[in-house]
Amino acid sequence: MSAIDVGIIMGSRSDWETMRHAAETLEALGVAHECKVVSAHRTPQRLYDYASGAAARGLKVIIAGAGGAAHLPGMAAAMTRLPVLGVPVESKALKGMDSLLSIVQMPGGIPVGTLAIGKPGAINAGLLAAAILATGDEALAQRLDDWRARQTQSVADTVED
C-alpha cells in the first residue's frame, strides 16, 4: 500500500464537522488518509491539480464532501479514474437534499458513489473506502471484519437494560 490511500476533500472548513467522521472511521481501521479543503467553485485550479494528480500520488479512493450545489464530488470524478465517494453535507436551506440531488444525479459516464446525508454518509464513506481497499489487502479485510463484528456485538438482544 502507498503511504496515503484515501484522500478526503471538502468544499470548505465548515464541512469538517461532517467529514471528520470519515477520517475517524478510516483511523479506526488503520487506513492512511489525508484531509484537504478543495472547493469546486472557489479553488478550481486546486481541485484540478488534486483530482488529476491523485492516482499518480498513490491515492486509491477519494471521498468528497460538499453542501449546497455540491459540485465537488462530480468534478473530482470527471478528473480522475479513481473511485469517488460523495458525501452530501447538510445545508441550512434544504437540510442536505440539495446536496444529495446534486451528487447523485451525475450524468452517465461519470460515476460518483453517493452516500447518505451528513454524519451517517461520512461514516459509511470511510467504511466503503476501506472495503474497496480491502479487496487487495487481507490485513485490512480482517480489520474491517473485526469492526463489523464489534458493531454486531454492540447491539442489545432485548429492549431492557
Side-chain angles (χ1 to χ4, degrees):
M1 272 201 291
S2 68
I4 299 174
D5 293 310
V6 178
I8 299 174
I9 57 176
M10 60 211 79
S12 68
R13 288 175 123 183
S14 64
D15 295 340
W16 178 242
E17 183 53 37
T18 296
M19 299 309 294
R20 71 181 178 85
H21 299 287
E24 290 168 0
T25 300
L26 292 171
E27 286 167 15
L29 292 167
V31 175
H33 61 281
E34 64 184 17
C35 301
K36 304 280 184 187
V37 175
V38 180
S39 170
H41 301 113
R42 294 179 302 272
T43 64
Q45 187 63 48
R46 186 184 305 171
L47 169 58
Y48 176 81
D49 294 343
Y50 188 89
S52 64
R57 290 190 309 107
L59 292 182
K60 308 268 187 315
V61 180
I62 295 173
I63 298 172
H71 290 116
L72 182 62
M75 291 300 296
M79 295 180 215
T80 185
R81 61 174 165 74
L82 298 177
V84 175
L85 308 177
V87 177
V89 173
E90 187 171 336
S91 58
K92 291 179 183 172
L94 298 173
K95 303 293 184 209
M97 284 302 296
D98 49 345
S99 312
L100 173 65
L101 293 174
S102 292
I103 297 171
V104 79
Q105 285 300 114
M106 289 301 298
I110 309 294
V112 173
T114 308
L115 287 301
I117 297 168
K119 178 181 175 180
I123 292 168
N124 283 343
L127 291 169
L128 185 54
I132 291 167
L133 296 170
T135 62
D137 181 338
E138 282 302 316
L140 177 55
Q142 185 59 59
R143 292 192 304 274
L144 190 56
D145 288 345
D146 293 345
W147 188 93
R148 289 178 178 205
R150 286 190 305 275
Q151 177 179 255
T152 297
Q153 292 166 358
S154 73
V155 177
D157 289 337
T158 67
V159 294
E160 301 167 352
D161 287 341

